[in-house]
Amino acid sequence: MQDLGISILFKGVNFQRLMGGLWVTLRLALITIGLSCLFGLLFGMLMLSRRKIAHIFCRIWLEIVRFMPQLVLLYIVYFGFARLFGWDLDGETSAVIVFTFWGTAEMGDLIRGALTSIPRHQTESAAALGLKKSQIYLHVLIPQTMRRLLPQAINLSTRIIKTTALVKMINVTEVLKVGQQIIGQFYRQPDAAFWVYFVIFLLYFLVCWPFSLLARRLEKRWA
Amino acid sequence: MKKLNKIFALALALTLLLSLLVTASAEGFRTLDEIKASGKLVIGLFSDKKPFGYIDETGEYQGYDVYLARRLAEDLGVTLEPVSLDAPNRIEFLQSFKVDIVLANFTYTEERATQVDFALPYMKVALGVVSPDSALITEPEQLNGKTLIVSKGTTAETFFEKNYPEVKLAKYDSYTEAYIALLDGRGDALSTDNTEVLAWAIENPGFTVGIESLGSLDTINPAVSKGNETLLAWINEEIVKLGAEKFFHADYEATLRETYGANADADSLVVEGGEL
């Protein structure tokens, strides 16, 4: 009772566990963001395809992602798949699947937007020069797209980082869950929650801040 | 465009493959023999609900439920694999066969019994209502028109919805959040199992349990997936056997005594051998 509130974070291995939780959060976010960029590129290109069916396919995917809360998707993949199909995925795998499913569509849509913002005459000029479709993408469109894309992609990345807090509901002990477990140990101390959540706030800030710094630097360099 | 078509065809093929897999497998719960063979007993526990299931500062699971979980694993000769869960998804974990047993302060209700199978009880409780001393609630009728904090998926939620529809309920996802809401004054009172609020009130000066026993006497039981008879029978056998050695009194002394204080009567909570 006499303890200063913040000291509860340093009792025993609490702090190490909090850092372990932060690593889980980070690892999950980084894997998801990486995969989302990769698949998002394909998704964006597919959205621009002239094939009607590809367009409808992307549209449906994007709408599902936009209107379904991520928590519902997590429950479907973690509990629903096990119940219906007998696929016993662990929490982290389920989370990667769901967040990549979400990130791919959103990133794809951003990439589509960036691609279409590049004047059409560039594609046509490149084609006139004899470049193949893949070469046009690789040498003309993608490099320019990257620059226009960056601010929005960073924004999406920080949103993904923050949304990973939901995975505590499917048995992944990330930083927020560890925090709640620490509060659970000390619920006799009314200010425990304040200190723990305050430190978690700082940790999220420390994770997201470098992203915006990087974005700002790159934007300046490319401007 | 040819490449894109290929990608699209690949995606279609993958989807088809997945749907084939769907029909191929239909996994269920693990029987007692399967658990023994795997060498692991997967038990769903609370990880932030002292003194029943929580993680202490050394990073170890502790509490009344955990004490039993350890013993079950030990008697089965396997290692315990704890899975952390929250009140709203306890049934979900069993129905999706993610855990073999739930030992998470799981109160028996008839509605739940249609979804999971309960073993013999190892504890008994009624509901309690805790409120600040400055505006103490001593009768449930006092709550009419006021806000009562409950945790989603708990007995308190269904009890008040059914019997006191005029009470406004503020529902929270976890116990941690519910208690914080009460401390922050986001409600007039909080209701959950009396054991829980009694312990909490002792540790939070300024709050008192004005209603100590509300609703019918409930029991807390281990639960298994619906139809897992071999495991259920073994747990029941085990609880009867443990009753003979007064195991749950020892459990109470080890995990709950500190919380309820020296004067509390263990027999008001503990159930031995599954007999009320």
Side-chain angles (χ1 to χ4, degrees):
Chain A
M1 280 296 209
Q2 304 300 319
D3 288 350
L4 201 66
I6 198 157
S7 69
I8 63 171
L9 280 164
F10 299 100
K11 277 237 173 79
V13 296
N14 282 353
F15 194 72
Q16 283 100 303
R17 289 190 53 237
L18 202 64
M19 288 298 120
L22 185 65
W23 169 236
V24 172
T25 298
L26 257 181
R27 184 174 59 201
L28 196 59
L30 289 178
I31 292 174
T32 307
I33 293 166
L35 290 175
S36 299
C37 288
L38 200 70
F39 295 132
L41 191 60
L42 297 177
F43 189 92
M45 285 156 72
L46 204 59
M47 278 190 99
L48 289 174
S49 151
R50 274 188 222 108
R51 299 278 294 207
K52 190 125 201 184
I53 187 152
H55 195 76
I56 294 171
F57 171 79
C58 292
R59 206 64 235 174
I60 292 174
W61 183 340
L62 189 61
E63 295 304 316
I64 289 176
V65 164
R66 288 230 171 111
F67 294 121
M68 274 279 222
Q70 273 83 25
L71 187 60
V72 174
L73 291 173
L74 286 171
Y75 269 38
I76 290 174
V77 173
Y78 185 70
F79 294 119
F81 281 13
R83 220 156 133 176
L84 295 172
F85 318 138
W87 298 344
D88 188 15
L89 302 170
D90 67 55
E92 222 172 307
T93 313
S94 309
V96 168
I97 291 172
V98 167
F99 291 141
T100 305
F101 179 75
W102 163 44
T104 297
E106 292 255 16
M107 195 68 92
D109 197 37
L110 295 180
I111 289 171
R112 180 198 55 81
L115 278 173
T116 43
S117 75
I118 293 166
R120 197 172 172 73
H121 70 78
Q122 295 215 14
T123 317
E124 283 160 1
S125 311
L129 284 172
L131 267 68
K132 282 188 290 183
K133 194 93 193 170
S134 57
Q135 287 174 319
I136 297 177
Y137 268 109
L138 202 64
H139 300 297
V140 181
L141 296 179
I142 292 176
Q144 297 189 77
T145 307
M146 285 309 267
R147 293 175 203 184
R148 299 185 186 197
L149 187 64
L150 205 75
Q152 291 153 306
I154 298 274
N155 182 307
L156 179 64
S157 301
T158 49
R159 266 169 61 211
I160 290 176
I161 294 172
K162 288 181 281 186
T163 312
T164 56
L166 290 177
V167 301
K168 77 184 179 74
M169 298 305 288
I170 55 165
N171 188 32
V172 181
T173 310
E174 43 67 75
V175 67
L176 190 61
K177 184 72 194 178
V178 176
Q180 294 194 331
Q181 289 170 350
I182 294 174
I183 295 170
Q185 286 168 22
F186 294 96
Y187 70 139
R188 67 191 69 190
Q189 273 173 263
D191 62 345
F194 170 78
W195 284 107
V196 172
Y197 283 133
F198 179 70
V199 169
I200 290 173
F201 159 78
L202 281 182
L203 292 176
Y204 272 111
F205 178 78
L206 286 177
V207 169
C208 293
W209 180 235
F211 277 89
S212 2
L213 276 186
L214 182 74
R216 206 183 300 167
R217 264 188 64 184
L218 288 178
E219 270 176 71
K220 255 189 205 151
R221 219 173 70 188
W222 287 342
Chain B
M1 272 309 123
K2 265 196 179 144
K3 275 222 173 105
L4 288 184
N5 285 341
K6 264 188 205 157
I7 291 167
F8 186 63
L10 193 73
L12 255 181
L14 267 176
T15 322
L16 278 175
L17 192 74
L18 287 182
S19 42
L20 271 179
L21 277 172
V22 167
T23 43
S25 61
E27 212 178 301
F29 52 75
R30 304 198 303 157
T31 62
L32 190 63
D33 289 336
E34 283 165 355
I35 294 168
K36 273 189 204 158
S38 76
K40 273 189 315 192
L41 180 61
V42 187
I43 300 189
L45 300 160
F46 281 134
S47 64
D48 59 357
K49 199 165 175 251
K50 201 175 176 180
F52 300 101
Y54 66 101
I55 293 182
D56 69 8
E57 61 230 35
T58 64
E60 294 286 325
Y61 274 90
Q62 300 295 352
Y64 188 78
D65 294 336
V66 180
Y67 197 88
L68 174 60
R70 290 224 171 86
R71 180 64 187 262
L72 289 179
E74 191 189 314
D75 286 356
L76 204 55
V78 295
T79 48
L80 170 66
E81 190 178 302
V83 167
S84 145
L85 39 70
D86 286 300
N89 56 22
R90 282 177 295 195
I91 291 177
E92 207 60 58
F93 268 94
L94 282 173
Q95 289 189 331
S96 58
F97 318 117
K98 294 278 180 187
V99 297
D100 298 317
I101 309 173
V102 164
L103 285 176
N105 215 256
F106 210 4
T107 312
Y108 177 95
T109 66
E110 291 197 348
E111 196 195 339
R112 283 176 184 163
T114 63
Q115 297 171 294
V116 300
D117 281 341
F118 284 102
L120 293 172
Y122 62 99
M123 211 173 133
K124 55 190 174 191
V125 281
L127 290 177
V129 177
V130 64
S131 46
D133 292 340
S134 51
L136 195 64
I137 306 285
T138 50
E139 294 294 332
E141 286 75 19
Q142 279 175 267
L143 284 165
N144 286 344
K146 290 189 177 159
T147 305
L148 178 70
I149 296 164
V150 295
S151 187
K152 276 182 201 164
T154 58
T155 337
E157 182 188 353
T158 35
F159 177 81
F160 278 95
E161 273 174 355
K162 203 171 174 184
N163 300 300
Y164 297 93
E166 281 168 48
V167 177
K168 278 182 259 168
L169 295 182
K171 302 172 184 180
Y172 289 88
D173 277 323
S174 72
Y175 286 97
T176 319
E177 290 162 36
Y179 282 117
I180 291 168
L182 182 64
L183 288 168
D184 289 351
R186 277 180 273 155
D188 298 294
L190 179 148
S191 179
T192 186
D193 296 346
N194 58 357
T195 50
E196 181 61 19
V197 284
L198 280 167
W200 187 83
I202 289 177
E203 299 188 336
N204 288 273
F207 290 89
T208 304
V209 179
I211 307 172
E212 287 194 10
S213 181
L214 187 66
S216 53
L217 190 70
D218 285 317
T219 59
I220 287 176
N221 312 42
V224 301
S225 300
K226 197 85 197 149
N228 195 350
E229 278 159 24
T230 51
L231 183 60
L232 187 70
W234 178 77
I235 297 172
N236 284 340
E237 224 172 85
E238 190 71 9
I239 285 177
V240 172
K241 198 186 86 190
L242 292 175
E245 58 171 271
K246 295 265 168 215
F247 172 82
F248 293 102
H249 278 83
D251 189 350
Y252 181 94
E253 294 303 328
T255 59
L256 302 183
R257 173 63 74 197
E258 186 197 347
T259 308
Y260 297 120
N263 298 325
D265 179 15
D267 287 316
S268 67
L269 292 175
V270 169
V271 177
E272 289 285 5
E275 285 169 33
L276 284 173

